[in-house]
Structure formats: structure tokens, C-alpha cells
Amino acid sequence: MMAVSLLAPAPGEAQPAGSATLVDYIEPAGNPLDENELLLVEVVLDRLNITDSLPVYASQVGLLIPVGELSRLLDADLNVQLGEKRIVGTIGEARRSVVADLPTGVVRVDGNLQLLLAGDMVVGANDIYVRTSLLEKLLPVRVRLDEAALRLELIAREPLPIQSRLDRLAKLRGLRNGASTPNDVYHVDSPPALVTLPSFDILVEAGAQERPPPYPYRYDVRAGGDLLYSNFQGYVGSDQKGRPVTARMMLERRDAEGEALGPLGFTRASAGDIFTPALPLGARSLAGRGVSLSTAPLTQTSIFGRVDLRGELPLGYDVELYVNDVLRSGQSTPVQGRYEFRDVPLQRGVNIIRIVAYGPRGERTEDVRVVNVGGGQLEPGQFIADLGIAQQERTVIRFPSRDSNVIASPGVGDMRVTANMAYGLTENVTLAGGLASYSPSGAGERLLATAGVRTSIAGVATQIDGAADERGGTAVALALAGEWMKVSTIVRHSEYGGGFVDETIPRGGDGRALRRSSELNLDWQLRPSRGFAIPFSFRLTRDQFANGDRNWAGLLRASAPVGGLYLSTGFDFERTEPVMGSAVNRLSGLVSLSSFALFQWQLRAAVDYQLLPDLRLGALSLIADRDIGESTAVRIGLGQSFQGDRDSTIQISAIRRLPFADLSLDAQYSRPRNDWRLGLQLAFSLVPDPLGGGYLPRRPGAASGGNAAIQAFLDDNGNGRFDRGEEPIAGVVTSGSGGEEIVTDDKGRALVTGLGYGTVAQVRTSLDNVQLDNVAGPPPVAEFTPRAGTVAVIPYPVQAKGEVMITITVGRGDRKVGLSAVMLRVVNENGEAHEGRTEFDGSALFDSLRPGTYRLEIEETQARRLNMRLVDQVSFTIGPQGGPAPDIQTMVVFE
């Protein structure tokens, strides 16, 4: 079996040659968001007025509509990720997935993969704008613009969330007093500190039950903060007697530019409980206490054969893995507080990975990742490396006498050293190599070296690898990836000798030596009708071991929306052919359903069954969650086992979402054993307040992602700092990734938590509710680099704003006439510039100007092209209290 290097090209890197699914997306020339083409339109949904002032652009590429703002008005589940230039979410009661990704130039809706056309998506400073044709793909609506009435008419093709919540329409009308226009993003510097107070995510659970222990209690605690100019992340979990049984900790430093971590350009450095990188052959990625270093870009996913996906999994949560809208796997029991999906195969081209997490209190979150998989080629001269050194499957903090539900592999406690390298030799050829010292069988360590080539032959990605260890083991592998009759195909084959142990194949972690291994992966779409597609995924592996044993394994998966439900089904096959004994066949199946009925009930059902060696049902489960009001929810769960004691289980939970915590009361009863259980669970975060001091309680999630503390104030002296005597400003509305609005208090403070652990975090702000006239704040999107558990301080200076009307004229005989389309700039003494263009009468209005003295300029390129200049130098002043400055009229001449 071959495990090869599949590198996801980062922006600006060379795309794999010959790829049929990777496209060169060309953005339209110029800026489509021209303020002179801004329109404020009324939005009507099936004759219901939603808003009177949605900002759209009648640009040269067509009508551009802000997806984020419109989704909020419609209560639709579309999330705009400005940093990634991506739109993700779900639509309909079946929660059909939606992803539109500008860097890869693709849009995938409900399993249908299509290409973005130039101008379909335009990224503004605080929203992403799309053309009407793309909006009709992202949302189940038809769009029509009445130009004369400035009215955007939406006709729903299926019920929208807002139509099921008509009582909220009154709140939505007049939500915005005016349109915000694009501006520069407000970049906030938040470097790691020597030490900060950590944030904590705490989950405690206590109750009573029939089985021992009669009064169980347990906890999960996560911590995050800065330590030694790095990001500290820690976890500790207990058993049902409150004894700690598992813990982990890590220090990590990330730098997207690769400048702060030494002269070699490292972008990531970690120490503590880390994961070592995988090699193409031999050593797989494994957890352990040690250190790891990488020079790969943070936005690039390095994939060697298959991808391993890991993340935090609190108590009571379960996760599902979807790859290209096909349900691949799931996990409900955390291991060391995490989930892990190993050896996930990806197809060549654009892969959309969704990790959907369901919480015990009705929570539902999605982590969407877009991975562009090619043949592993790098740009000529580009070099990347990954290094890991760890004592495998040993944690920094150990509880050796207690069970932590960790299934150990051979070689526990041995040192593992792996290093991966790749170098772009030419545009079409990349060299790869690796070194490792690992213990795959528990019978001593092995030294291993690998070498390989990544290229493309006639449009087929071709990857060749060889490996050898010091015990005489050898391996040679070949992989081909391409598209055949609209079926994405990956074929791998490996030959082994001398007792070589390859952990990278799906069944290679038990330490047995291999003779050969083969794998076939097929991904395609079945289109029974126009506009409807069913994605399929098929995988078949055959492993032959050195002792003569053979294993066959296969799976078939399909997922599709059916009548308001999202249906996933599949089969798993396994055949074992031992040298001694008869062959054993196993064939099992799974059917999973999910829905969001009437946008009130979140329903999930699953049934598994066995076909071979005999036909029988396994288990059936049904979970229904419903919100009752803004802060109360209920959960009803039913389960039926068809094996053993044939247990029947019912679960009822009442959930209360407090401003600072989630509280749930759970009751469970099972027959025929008459087992019962009562439990009370409290989940909350403790977040340090860098503005007021001490800790503040918040909803869960602050320790695993970045947070922001906002200080809004009236900046009288214009220095951008909150100085003594300056007035704090209440009423500034802020919102983070979850969309929950938080308003600054009478001290001008607001704390936004749970902003994720990506490369960029963004906080949106608005002054619509501030009771001040003639004021302007920073750009409406504040951006910073998040670190788990840390709180970035965002000063939000608000200053008086002014405006000025400038008219540009030109001499025509003895008359002066207005000159249109002149590109102007006004620049203050700090270099802050505002741009504008004159209208038909030669006038241009500059508003939202901070106090200070400004000079007037003609845009340099236009002035040089037309040999145009101002007759006189023009300057004006906006006073400390803002307001309008005297109108200015000046002339230009053409030389």
C-alpha cells in the first residue's frame, strides 16, 4: 500500500499540472465595489418587508449583494469567513451543506460541485458580496431587482427560517439605520506575552444512578493562555469518581510569516503533548510528549497519503465527519478529551471536509475545511520541512494506575523521531524525502529513510516512493491519481520485503510485517435528475502480510437530501483469510437521518445492522432537540438495542442557557435491567478581564479559541489610546463568529469569546446604537491573530467626524463648468487617506472625516495619464467637534 505526499497548495503556489478539477480563478479587473454604484434597496420576501436599506452594488459585473447581512436578515445559516474568503453554512430543514470558496474558485451546494465565474464573489471589508446567480445557488430563493422602485424581491423556493419565526420580523425591520461602506480592516496587534492569566472551560457533572458508583461525579477542564511568549493549551479529565485519569499540555507558537521563529522560517513550533508528522512509508503520525517544528504555511495542509483529523471533544458531545458531503465516520467517546479520525482518504482536487459536532444541550457546530489536493508539487526552489521528536503515546502528565480509555499501540514509551522534507526541483517535479527512528512492533527501534518524486504524467498525478530500514526491510510504492469518466480515481500499490512494517496503511498499526498492499479509492456523483446529485464514495484495500495472512476491507458511502431529510447510508465489508483456519466475512450497514423540522426540532436518527455472517439488527437511536424560547431547550432521546439484553432506553433533558453558563438536568431509564440515572451538568468558561481585572464567567468555549476585549471611548486627542479624562462609549454593538451580539457597557467595555483558533479572528462592530451625532469609529471589522484562551485587547477610538463638499471645475472660455469622474484624495497629517470621485456636476462629498487638517490631491495615475493638476494647493480643517467644513471649489488645468 502506498502512502504518498499530497500537499495542498497554498495561495500563490504552483497548482498541480494536468488537474481537471483545479481552476485558475481570475478576479475581475478594478474594484467592483465602487461607492458611486452603491444602492440602498428595500428587501421583500414573499411580500413581507425585511428591511428598507440593504446596501448593494450595481457594478460592472452585475448586481452584488452582501451575503452576511442578508443571511442575518433572513435568519439563514450562512457564515461569512472574510479571512478565508469563504462562505459556509447549511440550508433547508435537512441542513444541506453550502460552501463557496474564492481561493479555489469552487462552490459546492448539496453535493453539487460547480466552478465560480469571474466576478461571482467579491470580498469587501466587512462582508462578501455575490451576484444574484450565485445567491440563488446559496439560498433557496429567486431574486429580482425592481430598478425603478429600488426593491429587491426574494421568492422562496422552500420555507426559510425567517418564515417560521414571523414574530421576529418586527425586530428585523429597521435593523440598520444606514449602510456601512467598505473600508480598510482594523488590524490589531496582539503578540504573545511572557505570561497571561489563562482562560478555563469547565464542565462538571454529578448525579445518582442504579449502577456503581451510586453517586458519580466527573469533570473536564481545559485551559489556554500565554506562557513564555507561546500559547499554552492544557486539559485534565476525571473518571466517575472524580479522580483525574488523563491530562495533556502543550506550548505552541505560530507565525504565518515565518519570521519570529528563527532564521529557518519556521511557521509552527510546539512542545509538550504533540503529534509527530507521518512519512510516506513506514512511520505514521502518533501522539507523544516531545517537540515538533514545521516550515509549511499555516494555510497549507500537508497530507502524506491520507489526512488525520483531530480536535477537542468535550463530555457528552459526538462528532460526524463528512468528506464532500458524504458521511464517513463518527465518534461519541472522547479519548484524552479529543476526537480523532485517522487515515481519511481524499480525492484529487478540491475536498470539502465538514466536522459536525452535536452537544448534549442541543448545540450544533460545524468546522469546515477546504483542502486542495494535487500531486504534491511545490514551486521551483520552494522547500518545506516537518520535524517531530516524541516519546510515543506518553503524556507530559501521567496517571499510570488509572484507565484513561487509551488503546496503546506497539512500542509505547519508545522514542520516535520523524522528519519530512520536500523541494520543488522544477515546475513539474518535486523531490521528497524523510528520516525516522520508530518502534512499529515493540521489538526495538528501527532507522528508516525514504525518498520519492512527485510529478504529473499526461495529466495523471504520479507519485513514487521508496524506503529502507537498517534491519533489511524495503518498500516501493506507486500512486496514480486522476479523473476517469467523471470518477475521481486514486490507485496505490506497495511492495514490501525484509520484514518491513508500514504503519501508514489503515491496518498497519499492529506491528505485523507486510508483503504487499493495494488500495482503490473512487468518488463520483450520480445525477438522477437535473439539479439533484447523490455523492458516492467507494474504497477497497487488500493487505497481504509476511506470514501469509490476507485482509480485504471495503466501504461504500452515499448521502443526499430526501424530502427535508438528509439521508446517509453505507456498507462496510471485511474479509480475513488467515493461513491457518477458514476465511471470515463480515458485512454491515448503517442508515443515518437528520433534519431541522420546521426550523424548530433538530432531529437525528440512526440504525445499524449486520448482513454477514448472519442477518440481524444492531441498534436504533433517535434524538430530538428543540429550543423553547431564547434560553431554554429540551432533548428527548430513544434507543433500542437488538442484541444481548435488548435494552430499551429513554432520555429526557431540560437545558437552560444562562448568560454565563449552560445548565442541564438529565434523566435516563433503561429496561429490562431497570437502570436509571439522574444527572446535573454545568458548563461554563472563566475568562480573565484585561480591562477590569479578575475573571468573568461566560458560556463555554473561551479556552479553546481566541477572545477579544473591546474598549470603546471618545478619542478627544486622536492618539488612539484611552487616556485619562476621555469618555467611554456605551452601545457599541460587537459580534464574533457565533453571531451573538454583545454591547459595550457604561464603561465602554465588551468581552467577545469563542472566536476560534484559525489564522485570523474577526470581530464586527457597529455604531448604529450609539447616542452620539457626528462621530466615526475604526473600520467595522477588527482583525487579530487568535491564540487559545488569550484575550486580545482592541482599543476602539471614536472621534467626531466631519464632512466637506469639494467641487472641481475647468475653464471653458470665460465660464467654469464642473468636471466629472475626477479621482480625488484627501489626506490628513497622519497619512490617513479618503478617496472619492466627482459626480456629473463636478462635486464630491467626503464624509466620516476625523478632526484634523487635510490636503486635497488628484489620484496620481489619473493626473499623470491626463496631464492634469490642481491650479492651487487646497487644504481644509475639520474642527474638534466635527461637523461640516465650508464647501470648497477649485480648478484643474490640463497641460
Side-chain angles (χ1 to χ4, degrees), residues 525-687:
Q525 290 186 354
L526 180 65
R527 298 181 180 272
S529 63
R530 184 177 180 181
F532 179 67
I534 304 176
F536 282 83
S537 181
F538 173 78
R539 184 181 187 186
L540 178 65
T541 63
R542 179 185 183 273
D543 302 324
Q544 183 175 352
F545 295 90
N547 65 354
D549 292 348
R550 287 192 297 266
N551 280 342
W552 294 77
L555 64 83
L556 177 65
R557 297 281 190 271
S559 302
V562 179
L565 300 172
Y566 197 80
L567 170 66
S568 299
T569 186
F571 300 96
D572 290 87
F573 172 75
E574 182 179 356
R575 177 180 174 85
T576 304
E577 300 176 358
V579 175
M580 304 295 294
S582 57
V584 177
N585 295 314
R586 295 184 179 86
L587 178 62
S588 59
L590 172 70
V591 177
S592 174
L593 296 170
S594 63
S595 179
F596 197 41
L598 300 176
F599 301 100
Q600 295 176 338
W601 286 96
Q602 179 175 277
L603 306 175
R604 289 187 293 147
V607 58
D608 63 85
Y609 54 91
Q610 180 178 285
L611 297 173
L612 292 176
D614 53 14
L615 178 62
R616 60 182 177 178
L617 288 173
L620 170 69
S621 64
L622 173 66
I623 298 176
D625 293 284
R626 177 168 182 174
D627 287 339
I628 303 175
E630 294 291 332
S631 59
T632 305
V634 295
R635 161 172 286 195
I636 301 174
L638 301 173
Q640 177 64 56
S641 173
F642 299 98
Q643 301 180 17
D645 293 337
R646 297 179 176 268
D647 290 347
S648 300
T649 304
I650 182 171
Q651 175 193 6
I652 299 177
S653 301
I655 300 104
R656 184 71 174 178
R657 299 188 181 98
L658 305 173
F660 58 88
D662 288 340
L663 180 66
S664 62
L665 178 63
D666 178 77
Q668 184 173 301
Y669 177 73
S670 179
R671 293 191 59 193
R673 292 180 295 180
N674 294 323
D675 284 342
W676 57 268
R677 185 182 184 281
L678 293 175
L680 185 67
Q681 187 182 89
L682 180 66
F684 62 97
S685 291
L686 291 177
V687 189

Side-chain angles (χ1 to χ4, degrees), residues 118-197:
D120 272 354
M121 288 177 62
V122 178
V123 179
N126 60 345
D127 214 326
I128 293 180
Y129 295 77
V130 301
R131 290 197 292 207
T132 55
S133 57
L134 179 55
L135 182 65
E136 290 179 340
K137 297 175 184 177
L138 302 180
L139 290 172
V141 297
R142 290 193 297 271
V143 183
R144 188 178 78 88
L145 176 65
D146 186 339
E147 296 183 14
L150 289 180
R151 182 168 59 245
L152 191 69
E153 298 177 354
L154 306 179
I155 302 173
R157 301 196 305 267
E158 63 179 75
L160 292 172
I162 190 63
Q163 293 172 312
S164 300
R165 303 173 184 176
L166 295 179
D167 58 321
R168 298 180 61 184
L169 259 181
K171 300 179 182 179
L172 293 172
R173 289 178 180 166
L175 189 61
R176 297 185 63 88
N177 299 323
S180 61
T181 58
N183 202 341
D184 293 336
V185 173
Y186 180 28
H187 297 280
V188 178
D189 189 23
S190 179
L194 175 63
V195 62
T196 64
L197 291 175

Side-chain angles (χ1 to χ4, degrees), residues 264-289:
L264 297 180
F266 290 113
T267 57
R268 181 185 288 108
S270 304
D273 293 311
I274 56 101
F275 287 92
T276 60
L279 264 62
L281 290 165
R284 66 181 172 95
S285 175
L286 205 63
R289 55 188 180 191

